[in-house]
Amino acid sequence: MSGNNAKKTSPLVAALKMRCPRCREGQMYPAASYSPQFAKMHKNCPKCGLKYEREMGFFWGAMYFSYAIAVAIIITTWAAITLLAGKQPLPIYFGSIFTLLFLSIPLMFRYSRVLMLHLFGNVKYDPTAIEKNIVEP
């Protein structure tokens, strides 16, 4: 995708695809979500050079997004079990919730960082960022 085509990529689609908020093309993570290296993140965008960690400790705020995602999973799972199977014993609820939370750890980790950068990184979309390729220190 070239810089001109990137204009068609919405911020939501860029976030869902875990792309850079400035060029909306560069991948934020080098490995697959469910690989042993799921937590490894590029320091800079491979396409436009944007430094992802805006300041030291920037991604600590992503914990709030992880918490919100986990609460959404808990409430949704509880409601789905109750609506689909009726009232169940507590071990069914807890087992289902913990299993889903455990399986979603890599995605929660990644999307919490993506949301933190996209929403609070103070990064403006620049369709010409790839051509400029300014690598930040």
Side-chain angles (χ1 to χ4, degrees):
M1 189 186 312
S2 69
N4 292 338
N5 290 337
K7 291 179 187 176
K8 297 177 184 174
T9 304
S10 74
L12 177 62
V13 171
L16 288 173
K17 290 183 174 184
M18 298 183 207
R19 305 293 183 184
C20 171
R22 182 165 69 183
C23 68
R24 297 184 185 161
E25 290 188 33
Q27 294 184 356
M28 292 178 64
Y29 296 93
S33 294
Y34 283 95
S35 74
Q37 299 177 341
F38 75 89
K40 186 176 182 183
M41 182 178 187
H42 289 295
K43 291 189 185 304
N44 294 70
C45 174
K47 298 276 187 171
C48 73
L50 173 71
K51 183 178 177 185
Y52 289 140
E53 189 170 19
R54 306 310 295 154
E55 60 189 33
M56 186 183 286
F58 174 75
F59 287 113
W60 280 94
M63 290 186 302
Y64 294 103
F65 287 105
S66 291
Y67 177 76
I69 293 168
V71 167
I73 289 171
I74 291 167
I75 291 171
T76 303
T77 304
W78 191 280
I81 291 171
T82 302
L83 290 173
L84 297 174
K87 189 174 180 183
Q88 297 294 314
L90 282 179
I92 299 292
Y93 288 107
F94 287 136
S96 302
I97 289 168
F98 288 132
T99 300
L100 285 173
L101 286 174
F102 179 75
L103 292 174
S104 66
I105 286 172
L107 291 175
M108 277 196 304
F109 177 86
R110 286 180 168 214
Y111 277 114
S112 64
R113 284 180 161 224
V114 168
L115 289 170
M116 184 70 188
L117 183 59
H118 277 257
L119 296 175
F120 298 106
N122 199 23
V123 178
K124 303 289 186 229
Y125 171 61
D126 182 1
T128 63
I130 294 173
E131 288 84 28
K132 295 175 188 173
N133 196 5
I134 303 168
V135 178
E136 298 175 3

